[in-house]
Amino acid sequence: MATSRPERAPTYSESLRQRDDDALVALLARRPDLATPSPSTLLSLAARAMNRTSLERALAGLDEPTLHVLEAVLVLDSVGAAATAAAVARATGVDRATITAALVLLDELALVWTPGTRAGGFRPAPGVAEVLGPHPAGLGPVAAAPDGGATTTPSADLPDEAPPGTRAILDALAWGPPVGVAPRADASARRATGWLVGNGYLRATDERHVVLPREVGLALRGGRTHRDVRTSPPVPEVRELPAGTVDAESASAGLEAVRLVARLVTHWTEHPPGVLRAGGLGVRDLRRAALALEVDDPTAAAVVELAAAAGLVADDGDDPPTFSPTLSAEDWLDDDLGDRWATLARGWWRSRRTPWLVGSRDEKGALRAALDPELWRPWVPRLRRSVLDVLDLAPGRALGAADVVAVLRWRTPRAVPPEQAVAGLLREAALLGVTGAGALAPPGRALVASDDAPSGTGPADLGAAFEAVLPHEVDDLLLQGDLTGIVPGRPSRTLERLVEVAADVESRGAATTVRFTPDSVLRALDRGATADELLAELASHSRTPVPQPLEYLVRDTARRHGRVRVGTASSYVRAEDPALLAGIAEDPALRGLGLVLLAPTVLASAAPAGELQEALRARGVPAVVEGPDGRVLVADRAGRRAPDGVAPPRRGRLTTPGRRTGGRARTGVVPGSGARVDEPGAAESRSAQRFADLVARLRAADSRSAAHADGRAGGRRGEASPARGDGQGGAGLAPSGANGHAGEDPAEGTSDPVAALGLLREAIADGAMVWLEVVGPTGSQDRRRVRPLTLDAGRLRAQDPARDAELTVAVHRIASVAPDAPAR
């Protein structure tokens, strides 16, 4: 008579299936990679949660104390101890409240789970031990017997007959690393090592190396898994700067950043640089920009990238292409100072660009150029936020790149950012005025807060935060007789424009010294000003009359200005008869050609030579086209022909979807400079709804699976099913459901590759037996009862007790996996 099947021990997959909907939504929110692509069943979700790649991502976000708690759970569970909150607190030396909070987080991440039979103890998720490595917390492997039994752990107190040097060897290996090299030359050390191996304190791994077993290491540590667990970030204690110093440095840097970007926009309006074939700005063009801005090349690269991130310069899409100011740059130049700074700050905050790499070489040895389309990384916005968060932990204190990396290493020990990237972001923050004297400034704090605000903080709020640290404006210009002037403070908008156009800056600081030269006055006259207007504007900002030398300079330059004029002509008309040319110039039908009489016998035209010739012949003038040497050109009907089709675009061109072409001033962004920004909380709300819908679908699939399994069980109860007497029997594999795998029950087995790998990982973690159906080279299937040992690099290594042998199977040859069950 068939007896009821005894209950199996709970598994990780079952514990995940028993979570309520809110817990599953929270799991998907913290580990969104589990939902992409959408799993078909909760069993598939559990298998993904055990996947090495997903576990690596989850562990990469853990801080140091939480990671140590996970290591303690793994170590305690591996030696057979119940990993309760109290046991973990004793093992780590951390207070109970901190341990409980860490365990709650790990449980929410599904990195630990609680079997119902372990009296409140936690177990690590299958696969965690593989990800953490062979020596968690610096402890060696478990000294367990091959048949699953445990060996006797030697006492931490050595007996009197222990040879000299044994205690020193144990102390050296106790806190890790637990692997040592067996001595050869030193006879005394060789005897001590041999005694420790013979008495179970050490285990020989090969002829040269020994390892300290995990149980012995715990005993030597007094039951502690970690010597010291830091529960707070290691923020260095440095001198706090006065708030006024931070504000002043931030204001000065922000003003300079706005001025440099404005100068770049003006310079590129007049002299737009070309775009490299592979994309980006050439070294010579970058150097020209640095000379125009009067800064070094790295600073010029940062300014160029900042302007591109704010959408003020871009590839214009012409042929040949150039980097030119966009349409929004014109509006930006007319904005208030605070709004201009806010535009730059928001562009920098969203940017994925890496300006600190400009000038370095890639893996192929090519020089990385500014505005290079490949010079972006998706993790830059997250790292930028993390760096500013670290600075916010130490208000008023200047932290270096090494200090910030130390805190970030505590926050994410398994995902430490490169110090070069942190140093680059700190330099950019200092350049923009987000920091002042190395400390986070109020504008930078407002920028971070704008990312967390429920309704978003607009540019006006950021601009107000920046204007709050600025010194008061001054509208005075102290003119002196040596053609210099002094602006005693931050100039007003009108005075700033006047000085920028009509003078050359000699020095900047608390006061700005400028000098008037013939070239600077000529620059103002080129903008359309007259001598009287320029002198009147200078007088309006000066408390004293305009010095006579300056007035002479302005009027003398204005007198010479425009005496020689330069124009553009595409073609010309030459004839010996002045009357004929006069008639052509006055012909109303030819006014669209832009004819200008330069001399009695020479006309200039804005039209091309061919078009001009056709227009003249249409009016009855048999004109011919001549070359530069005066010879008449003969038409070549067999001229070159353009190939059919459209010429392929140049490799590496920066393109922006939806932008117009054919003009220099166009709106566009450099790839990686930014992206569409949702309202704060909008993306999280959409993700939460998507995860809730996914959990509902998984619950429905799980219900169908349970109903399908119950139906099969009812059918089997009505049939005679003789028990097998060879001890090798067990539940057979269930057929797949209508959707391929949705009808599979993990207790019956699965042929779903993802779920099968999950069952194998659970069996490895629990040391359990499974039924493995393997496809041979000829296509035949072999069903074997094995104990999985390792699963790595696409191969399963397992022990076959019936044949007293080990086998290694490629994962792609495994047709199905079923948990072992006792005979009925």
PDB file of all heavy atoms in Angstrom, residues 215-241:
ATOM      1  N   GLU A 215      36.541  26.089  10.717  1.00  0.00           N
ATOM      2  CA  GLU A 215      36.200  25.887  12.119  1.00  0.00           C
ATOM      3  C   GLU A 215      37.358  26.252  13.037  1.00  0.00           C
ATOM      4  O   GLU A 215      37.156  26.851  14.103  1.00  0.00           O
ATOM      5  CB  GLU A 215      35.784  24.431  12.355  1.00  0.00           C
ATOM      6  CG  GLU A 215      34.546  24.004  11.593  1.00  0.00           C
ATOM      7  CD  GLU A 215      34.835  23.513  10.190  1.00  0.00           C
ATOM      8  OE1 GLU A 215      35.953  23.776   9.673  1.00  0.00           O
ATOM      9  OE2 GLU A 215      33.968  22.861   9.617  1.00  0.00           O
ATOM     10  N   VAL A 216      38.575  25.919  12.613  1.00  0.00           N
ATOM     11  CA  VAL A 216      39.746  26.252  13.434  1.00  0.00           C
ATOM     12  C   VAL A 216      39.948  27.763  13.460  1.00  0.00           C
ATOM     13  O   VAL A 216      40.262  28.349  14.511  1.00  0.00           O
ATOM     14  CB  VAL A 216      40.992  25.548  12.879  1.00  0.00           C
ATOM     15  CG1 VAL A 216      42.227  25.916  13.698  1.00  0.00           C
ATOM     16  CG2 VAL A 216      40.791  24.040  12.875  1.00  0.00           C
ATOM     17  N   GLY A 217      39.753  28.411  12.321  1.00  0.00           N
ATOM     18  CA  GLY A 217      39.893  29.854  12.285  1.00  0.00           C
ATOM     19  C   GLY A 217      38.903  30.552  13.197  1.00  0.00           C
ATOM     20  O   GLY A 217      39.244  31.505  13.908  1.00  0.00           O
ATOM     21  N   LEU A 218      37.652  30.073  13.214  1.00  0.00           N
ATOM     22  CA  LEU A 218      36.658  30.672  14.124  1.00  0.00           C
ATOM     23  C   LEU A 218      37.052  30.459  15.579  1.00  0.00           C
ATOM     24  O   LEU A 218      36.886  31.356  16.419  1.00  0.00           O
ATOM     25  CB  LEU A 218      35.283  30.057  13.855  1.00  0.00           C
ATOM     26  CG  LEU A 218      34.455  30.646  12.706  1.00  0.00           C
ATOM     27  CD1 LEU A 218      33.175  29.859  12.516  1.00  0.00           C
ATOM     28  CD2 LEU A 218      34.142  32.114  12.993  1.00  0.00           C
ATOM     29  N   ALA A 219      37.558  29.278  15.874  1.00  0.00           N
ATOM     30  CA  ALA A 219      37.974  29.014  17.256  1.00  0.00           C
ATOM     31  C   ALA A 219      39.132  29.921  17.658  1.00  0.00           C
ATOM     32  O   ALA A 219      39.163  30.456  18.774  1.00  0.00           O
ATOM     33  CB  ALA A 219      38.360  27.541  17.403  1.00  0.00           C
ATOM     34  N   LEU A 220      40.097  30.115  16.775  1.00  0.00           N
ATOM     35  CA  LEU A 220      41.224  30.992  17.097  1.00  0.00           C
ATOM     36  C   LEU A 220      40.779  32.447  17.234  1.00  0.00           C
ATOM     37  O   LEU A 220      41.384  33.217  17.985  1.00  0.00           O
ATOM     38  CB  LEU A 220      42.277  30.884  15.996  1.00  0.00           C
ATOM     39  CG  LEU A 220      42.994  29.533  15.873  1.00  0.00           C
ATOM     40  CD1 LEU A 220      43.902  29.521  14.657  1.00  0.00           C
ATOM     41  CD2 LEU A 220      43.808  29.246  17.143  1.00  0.00           C
ATOM     42  N   ARG A 221      39.736  32.831  16.517  1.00  0.00           N
ATOM     43  CA  ARG A 221      39.221  34.198  16.622  1.00  0.00           C
ATOM     44  C   ARG A 221      38.266  34.393  17.787  1.00  0.00           C
ATOM     45  O   ARG A 221      37.725  35.486  17.975  1.00  0.00           O
ATOM     46  CB  ARG A 221      38.496  34.581  15.330  1.00  0.00           C
ATOM     47  CG  ARG A 221      39.378  34.627  14.093  1.00  0.00           C
ATOM     48  CD  ARG A 221      38.548  35.048  12.888  1.00  0.00           C
ATOM     49  NE  ARG A 221      39.326  35.084  11.657  1.00  0.00           N
ATOM     50  CZ  ARG A 221      38.871  35.528  10.481  1.00  0.00           C
ATOM     51  NH1 ARG A 221      37.606  35.952  10.402  1.00  0.00           N
ATOM     52  NH2 ARG A 221      39.633  35.528   9.414  1.00  0.00           N
ATOM     53  N   GLY A 222      38.027  33.347  18.545  1.00  0.00           N
ATOM     54  CA  GLY A 222      37.096  33.460  19.654  1.00  0.00           C
ATOM     55  C   GLY A 222      35.658  33.549  19.202  1.00  0.00           C
ATOM     56  O   GLY A 222      34.823  34.178  19.879  1.00  0.00           O
ATOM     57  N   GLY A 223      35.329  32.914  18.057  1.00  0.00           N
ATOM     58  CA  GLY A 223      33.972  32.936  17.542  1.00  0.00           C
ATOM     59  C   GLY A 223      33.634  34.150  16.716  1.00  0.00           C
ATOM     60  O   GLY A 223      32.498  34.266  16.233  1.00  0.00           O
ATOM     61  N   ARG A 224      34.581  35.050  16.533  1.00  0.00           N
ATOM     62  CA  ARG A 224      34.335  36.263  15.748  1.00  0.00           C
ATOM     63  C   ARG A 224      34.611  36.003  14.274  1.00  0.00           C
ATOM     64  O   ARG A 224      35.599  35.360  13.915  1.00  0.00           O
ATOM     65  CB  ARG A 224      35.225  37.411  16.236  1.00  0.00           C
ATOM     66  CG  ARG A 224      34.922  37.897  17.653  1.00  0.00           C
ATOM     67  CD  ARG A 224      33.684  38.776  17.644  1.00  0.00           C
ATOM     68  NE  ARG A 224      33.906  39.990  16.885  1.00  0.00           N
ATOM     69  CZ  ARG A 224      34.389  41.119  17.408  1.00  0.00           C
ATOM     70  NH1 ARG A 224      34.706  41.171  18.690  1.00  0.00           N
ATOM     71  NH2 ARG A 224      34.535  42.199  16.650  1.00  0.00           N
ATOM     72  N   THR A 225      33.756  36.522  13.418  1.00  0.00           N
ATOM     73  CA  THR A 225      33.998  36.417  11.981  1.00  0.00           C
ATOM     74  C   THR A 225      34.801  37.604  11.463  1.00  0.00           C
ATOM     75  O   THR A 225      35.492  37.488  10.448  1.00  0.00           O
ATOM     76  CB  THR A 225      32.667  36.332  11.216  1.00  0.00           C
ATOM     77  OG1 THR A 225      31.858  37.463  11.561  1.00  0.00           O
ATOM     78  CG2 THR A 225      31.928  35.055  11.566  1.00  0.00           C
ATOM     79  N   HIS A 226      34.705  38.744  12.127  1.00  0.00           N
ATOM     80  CA  HIS A 226      35.411  39.943  11.699  1.00  0.00           C
ATOM     81  C   HIS A 226      36.049  40.606  12.915  1.00  0.00           C
ATOM     82  O   HIS A 226      35.463  40.639  13.998  1.00  0.00           O
ATOM     83  CB  HIS A 226      34.466  40.934  11.006  1.00  0.00           C
ATOM     84  CG  HIS A 226      33.841  40.399   9.757  1.00  0.00           C
ATOM     85  ND1 HIS A 226      32.723  39.576   9.789  1.00  0.00           N
ATOM     86  CD2 HIS A 226      34.174  40.547   8.443  1.00  0.00           C
ATOM     87  CE1 HIS A 226      32.389  39.259   8.550  1.00  0.00           C
ATOM     88  NE2 HIS A 226      33.252  39.821   7.715  1.00  0.00           N
ATOM     89  N   ARG A 227      37.231  41.113  12.706  1.00  0.00           N
ATOM     90  CA  ARG A 227      37.944  41.770  13.804  1.00  0.00           C
ATOM     91  C   ARG A 227      37.324  43.113  14.149  1.00  0.00           C
ATOM     92  O   ARG A 227      37.149  43.458  15.301  1.00  0.00           O
ATOM     93  CB  ARG A 227      39.416  41.941  13.421  1.00  0.00           C
ATOM     94  CG  ARG A 227      40.236  42.674  14.473  1.00  0.00           C
ATOM     95  CD  ARG A 227      41.684  42.780  14.035  1.00  0.00           C
ATOM     96  NE  ARG A 227      42.337  41.480  14.021  1.00  0.00           N
ATOM     97  CZ  ARG A 227      43.577  41.281  13.584  1.00  0.00           C
ATOM     98  NH1 ARG A 227      44.284  42.286  13.105  1.00  0.00           N
ATOM     99  NH2 ARG A 227      44.113  40.075  13.610  1.00  0.00           N
ATOM    100  N   ASP A 228      36.984  43.896  13.109  1.00  0.00           N
ATOM    101  CA  ASP A 228      36.432  45.232  13.337  1.00  0.00           C
ATOM    102  C   ASP A 228      35.468  45.549  12.206  1.00  0.00           C
ATOM    103  O   ASP A 228      35.838  45.443  11.027  1.00  0.00           O
ATOM    104  CB  ASP A 228      37.549  46.276  13.396  1.00  0.00           C
ATOM    105  CG  ASP A 228      37.020  47.680  13.654  1.00  0.00           C
ATOM    106  OD1 ASP A 228      35.992  47.789  14.332  1.00  0.00           O
ATOM    107  OD2 ASP A 228      37.630  48.645  13.150  1.00  0.00           O
ATOM    108  N   VAL A 229      34.248  45.916  12.537  1.00  0.00           N
ATOM    109  CA  VAL A 229      33.229  46.282  11.562  1.00  0.00           C
ATOM    110  C   VAL A 229      32.888  47.761  11.757  1.00  0.00           C
ATOM    111  O   VAL A 229      32.403  48.160  12.816  1.00  0.00           O
ATOM    112  CB  VAL A 229      31.959  45.419  11.709  1.00  0.00           C
ATOM    113  CG1 VAL A 229      30.891  45.860  10.719  1.00  0.00           C
ATOM    114  CG2 VAL A 229      32.290  43.949  11.511  1.00  0.00           C
ATOM    115  N   ARG A 230      33.166  48.553  10.740  1.00  0.00           N
ATOM    116  CA  ARG A 230      32.869  49.989  10.823  1.00  0.00           C
ATOM    117  C   ARG A 230      31.407  50.210  10.449  1.00  0.00           C
ATOM    118  O   ARG A 230      30.998  49.910   9.325  1.00  0.00           O
ATOM    119  CB  ARG A 230      33.779  50.786   9.893  1.00  0.00           C
ATOM    120  CG  ARG A 230      35.243  50.717  10.253  1.00  0.00           C
ATOM    121  CD  ARG A 230      36.087  51.506   9.252  1.00  0.00           C
ATOM    122  NE  ARG A 230      36.014  50.930   7.905  1.00  0.00           N
ATOM    123  CZ  ARG A 230      36.711  51.373   6.865  1.00  0.00           C
ATOM    124  NH1 ARG A 230      37.527  52.410   7.022  1.00  0.00           N
ATOM    125  NH2 ARG A 230      36.592  50.796   5.682  1.00  0.00           N
ATOM    126  N   THR A 231      30.633  50.729  11.361  1.00  0.00           N
ATOM    127  CA  THR A 231      29.210  50.955  11.108  1.00  0.00           C
ATOM    128  C   THR A 231      28.915  52.358  10.590  1.00  0.00           C
ATOM    129  O   THR A 231      27.776  52.669  10.273  1.00  0.00           O
ATOM    130  CB  THR A 231      28.408  50.719  12.401  1.00  0.00           C
ATOM    131  OG1 THR A 231      28.902  51.591  13.433  1.00  0.00           O
ATOM    132  CG2 THR A 231      28.533  49.271  12.847  1.00  0.00           C
ATOM    133  N   SER A 232      29.918  53.204  10.493  1.00  0.00           N
ATOM    134  CA  SER A 232      29.738  54.556   9.952  1.00  0.00           C
ATOM    135  C   SER A 232      30.850  54.826   8.946  1.00  0.00           C
ATOM    136  O   SER A 232      31.945  54.273   9.051  1.00  0.00           O
ATOM    137  CB  SER A 232      29.770  55.610  11.068  1.00  0.00           C
ATOM    138  OG  SER A 232      30.994  55.550  11.783  1.00  0.00           O
ATOM    139  N   PRO A 233      30.592  55.671   7.973  1.00  0.00           N
ATOM    140  CA  PRO A 233      31.604  55.929   6.933  1.00  0.00           C
ATOM    141  C   PRO A 233      32.836  56.611   7.505  1.00  0.00           C
ATOM    142  O   PRO A 233      32.736  57.442   8.430  1.00  0.00           O
ATOM    143  CB  PRO A 233      30.876  56.829   5.938  1.00  0.00           C
ATOM    144  CG  PRO A 233      29.745  57.427   6.697  1.00  0.00           C
ATOM    145  CD  PRO A 233      29.345  56.418   7.713  1.00  0.00           C
ATOM    146  N   PRO A 234      34.024  56.311   6.973  1.00  0.00           N
ATOM    147  CA  PRO A 234      35.272  56.882   7.503  1.00  0.00           C
ATOM    148  C   PRO A 234      35.530  58.293   6.967  1.00  0.00           C
ATOM    149  O   PRO A 234      36.448  58.515   6.168  1.00  0.00           O
ATOM    150  CB  PRO A 234      36.329  55.888   7.015  1.00  0.00           C
ATOM    151  CG  PRO A 234      35.777  55.355   5.729  1.00  0.00           C
ATOM    152  CD  PRO A 234      34.284  55.323   5.905  1.00  0.00           C
ATOM    153  N   VAL A 235      34.730  59.246   7.386  1.00  0.00           N
ATOM    154  CA  VAL A 235      34.924  60.631   6.953  1.00  0.00           C
ATOM    155  C   VAL A 235      36.106  61.224   7.724  1.00  0.00           C
ATOM    156  O   VAL A 235      36.106  61.217   8.957  1.00  0.00           O
ATOM    157  CB  VAL A 235      33.658  61.470   7.203  1.00  0.00           C
ATOM    158  CG1 VAL A 235      33.864  62.906   6.745  1.00  0.00           C
ATOM    159  CG2 VAL A 235      32.467  60.853   6.490  1.00  0.00           C
ATOM    160  N   PRO A 236      37.124  61.719   7.050  1.00  0.00           N
ATOM    161  CA  PRO A 236      38.301  62.243   7.754  1.00  0.00           C
ATOM    162  C   PRO A 236      37.974  63.524   8.514  1.00  0.00           C
ATOM    163  O   PRO A 236      37.127  64.321   8.099  1.00  0.00           O
ATOM    164  CB  PRO A 236      39.309  62.493   6.626  1.00  0.00           C
ATOM    165  CG  PRO A 236      38.478  62.699   5.416  1.00  0.00           C
ATOM    166  CD  PRO A 236      37.274  61.821   5.581  1.00  0.00           C
ATOM    167  N   GLU A 237      38.652  63.695   9.595  1.00  0.00           N
ATOM    168  CA  GLU A 237      38.483  64.907  10.403  1.00  0.00           C
ATOM    169  C   GLU A 237      39.468  65.959   9.913  1.00  0.00           C
ATOM    170  O   GLU A 237      40.646  65.927  10.246  1.00  0.00           O
ATOM    171  CB  GLU A 237      38.705  64.597  11.892  1.00  0.00           C
ATOM    172  CG  GLU A 237      37.658  63.683  12.497  1.00  0.00           C
ATOM    173  CD  GLU A 237      36.287  64.336  12.566  1.00  0.00           C
ATOM    174  OE1 GLU A 237      36.238  65.594  12.595  1.00  0.00           O
ATOM    175  OE2 GLU A 237      35.279  63.611  12.556  1.00  0.00           O
ATOM    176  N   VAL A 238      38.996  66.868   9.096  1.00  0.00           N
ATOM    177  CA  VAL A 238      39.819  67.968   8.598  1.00  0.00           C
ATOM    178  C   VAL A 238      39.246  69.280   9.096  1.00  0.00           C
ATOM    179  O   VAL A 238      38.108  69.360   9.556  1.00  0.00           O
ATOM    180  CB  VAL A 238      39.885  67.955   7.047  1.00  0.00           C
ATOM    181  CG1 VAL A 238      40.556  66.707   6.550  1.00  0.00           C
ATOM    182  CG2 VAL A 238      38.499  68.073   6.451  1.00  0.00           C
ATOM    183  N   ARG A 239      40.051  70.312   8.979  1.00  0.00           N
ATOM    184  CA  ARG A 239      39.646  71.622   9.501  1.00  0.00           C
ATOM    185  C   ARG A 239      38.440  72.149   8.743  1.00  0.00           C
ATOM    186  O   ARG A 239      38.379  72.101   7.521  1.00  0.00           O
ATOM    187  CB  ARG A 239      40.822  72.608   9.387  1.00  0.00           C
ATOM    188  CG  ARG A 239      40.537  73.975   9.986  1.00  0.00           C
ATOM    189  CD  ARG A 239      41.794  74.832   9.906  1.00  0.00           C
ATOM    190  NE  ARG A 239      42.183  75.046   8.524  1.00  0.00           N
ATOM    191  CZ  ARG A 239      41.720  76.067   7.781  1.00  0.00           C
ATOM    192  NH1 ARG A 239      40.843  76.911   8.273  1.00  0.00           N
ATOM    193  NH2 ARG A 239      42.147  76.216   6.536  1.00  0.00           N
ATOM    194  N   GLU A 240      37.481  72.657   9.488  1.00  0.00           N
ATOM    195  CA  GLU A 240      36.277  73.210   8.876  1.00  0.00           C
ATOM    196  C   GLU A 240      36.555  74.624   8.400  1.00  0.00           C
ATOM    197  O   GLU A 240      37.103  75.447   9.130  1.00  0.00           O
ATOM    198  CB  GLU A 240      35.119  73.192   9.867  1.00  0.00           C
ATOM    199  CG  GLU A 240      33.798  73.629   9.260  1.00  0.00           C
ATOM    200  CD  GLU A 240      32.630  73.443  10.210  1.00  0.00           C
ATOM    201  OE1 GLU A 240      32.828  72.809  11.264  1.00  0.00           O
ATOM    202  OE2 GLU A 240      31.522  73.939   9.902  1.00  0.00           O
ATOM    203  N   LEU A 241      36.157  74.904   7.171  1.00  0.00           N
ATOM    204  CA  LEU A 241      36.378  76.217   6.573  1.00  0.00           C
ATOM    205  C   LEU A 241      35.245  77.167   6.948  1.00  0.00           C
ATOM    206  O   LEU A 241      34.096  76.738   7.111  1.00  0.00           O
ATOM    207  CB  LEU A 241      36.460  76.086   5.047  1.00  0.00           C
ATOM    208  CG  LEU A 241      37.572  75.197   4.494  1.00  0.00           C
ATOM    209  CD1 LEU A 241      37.401  75.008   2.993  1.00  0.00           C
ATOM    210  CD2 LEU A 241      38.925  75.802   4.799  1.00  0.00           C
TER     211      LEU A 241
END
